[in-house]
Amino acid sequence: MPRSLLLPILLAPALVACNVPPEPLSGPVAQRSQTAQSPGESWPGWGGPNGDFTVEARELAAAWPPEGPPLVWSRPLGKGYSAIAAADGVLFAMHREGNDELVAALRADDGSTIWEHRYEAVPRKPNQVQFGSGPNASPLVLDDRVITLGYTGVLSCLDRADGRLVWSHELIRDLDGEVLDFGYSASPILHDGRVIVLVGGKRQGAVALDPGDGSVVWSGPPSGVSYATPLVIDVDGQQQLLYFSADEIIGLDAADGTRLWSFPVVNQYRNNATDPRWGDDGLLWVATQLDGGTRALRLTRDGDATRVEQVWESNQLSIHFWNALRLGDTVYASIGGNATILAGVDVGSGEILWRRRGFEQVNFVHTGELTVLLDANGRLALARLSPDGIEVLAEARILDGPTWTAPTLVGTRLYLRDQQSIRALELGPAG
């Protein structure tokens, strides 16, 4: 069995107003103002504002001390691989304590708890828990609500201000959802005012819900689902929802859930856990693990039909549960069986443009001309990526592995977690 697929609520609300004291500010950052995250900035869900781990340019320090960027705060956080969402100075995180999952709202400036919501989430017998039992999916922050999806399929809508439960579904019980080996991991997304969730099973693959009351707006046709977060793209003027099953990528009409196309994406373990990447050139980067490799698909509209053409395929470019960063015509990713090779790949041809060892299973966040890299061993780096290679500007080991969760960048603050803690680092220039 490969390493974890985990990347990338609630029936009885339990609000706990507890203020867990964070560790004190560290070093010169203690004298800085608390304006690194401005009130209007946000990271509303998986992949940030655009869903692709890119944000607008901001000024970052070009060098770090040997121990890494200044630590603003650190505090305990339970187990899980769910990434951190943020809006208006508040962080939203999920974690596990025994048989319970918790959703927590934390103050971004010091990590203290605003509210918590706890519910029971006991793994089922088919679940494979040797790599942990989540939660894996990231919160989705709306104007006044937060949508969360737990490991066992508990989908909840919470009041953003106080954590009060507004509505919930148990996907397996209420919607005949699929029991996944490694639990629900695909994060909910927002499209056209609707919350889209992968359910799986004999009734539907994906559903679109009204965030006001949780009612089903549309259900896609039956299909299995896998672990990567769905993606909405524009194909010649039509909004299409893309998601993985165990052995194919599927395209639906995002307006009503009608199935438009599918294409095989198969590996020996029959799971798909890394997001596809889309570009204005009409090429879709579709990767999976091990023998499944990677391919580029060209999508075009022909009347009401979508034409799907495979441009190239390579089994040298396998990617598992970490993300891939597409910048223009190049994708940057950790590739190979052990994913210890960082590479730049031409999307149009599949040619590997360069390779670099020393980073393992990297998750990326890109801003302006700079990219933040966090690998599975807790190694953090700041670099410039280009089709010609990588220029590492700063690096340090700042967490104990495994650090499989993609980081969150809001303003110049970087928020990241391992299996024991959550912490905030200041990446902006000093002074």
Side-chain angles (χ1 to χ4, degrees), residues 57-90:
R58 68 272 329 262
E59 187 179 5
L60 303 183
W64 301 336
E67 66 274 14
L71 174 69
V72 182
W73 54 261
S74 176
R75 58 161 285 172
L77 190 74
K79 294 182 178 180
Y81 300 97
S82 174
I84 301 158
D88 298 328
V90 180

Side-chain angles (χ1 to χ4, degrees), residues 15-17 87 90-92 104-107 113-116 141-146 157-166:
L15 302 180
V16 182
V90 180
L91 308 179
F92 300 91
L106 312 175
R107 291 181 178 86
T113 302
I114 300 170
W115 54 258
E116 283 187 347
V141 183
L142 309 180
D143 288 341
D144 59 354
R145 299 183 177 187
V146 180
C157 176
L158 306 176
D159 187 282
R160 182 170 145 181
D162 59 16
R164 174 180 54 88
L165 181 65
V166 181

Side-chain angles (χ1 to χ4, degrees), residues 52-200:
D52 60 0
F53 293 93
T54 68
V55 293
E56 293 181 355
R58 68 272 329 262
E59 187 179 5
L60 303 183
W64 301 336
E67 66 274 14
L71 174 69
V72 182
W73 54 261
S74 176
R75 58 161 285 172
L77 190 74
K79 294 182 178 180
Y81 300 97
S82 174
I84 301 158
D88 298 328
V90 180
L91 308 179
F92 300 91
M94 299 180 67
H95 61 106
R96 174 172 288 274
E97 292 182 0
N99 286 328
D100 292 345
E101 288 182 336
L102 289 88
V103 184
L106 312 175
R107 291 181 178 86
D109 58 0
D110 65 7
S112 58
T113 302
I114 300 170
W115 54 258
E116 283 187 347
H117 182 88
R118 178 189 294 263
Y119 58 94
E120 188 176 53
V122 180
R124 292 171 169 80
K125 287 184 178 181
N127 293 141
Q128 304 295 314
V129 298
Q130 64 266 43
F131 301 114
S133 49
N136 306 323
S138 300
L140 173 64
V141 183
L142 309 180
D143 288 341
D144 59 354
R145 299 183 177 187
V146 180
I147 310 295
T148 57
L149 177 61
Y151 181 91
T152 61
V154 181
L155 178 73
S156 291
C157 176
L158 306 176
D159 187 282
R160 182 170 145 181
D162 59 16
R164 174 180 54 88
L165 181 65
V166 181
W167 55 260
S168 69
H169 292 295
E170 283 201 33
L171 299 187
I172 294 172
R173 184 194 66 189
D174 300 342
L175 299 176
D176 293 335
E178 182 177 2
V179 180
L180 300 171
D181 286 347
F182 298 97
Y184 280 96
S185 300
S187 301
I189 65 171
L190 183 69
H191 175 69
D192 196 23
R194 300 164 178 172
V195 175
I196 296 177
V197 181
L198 299 188
V199 178

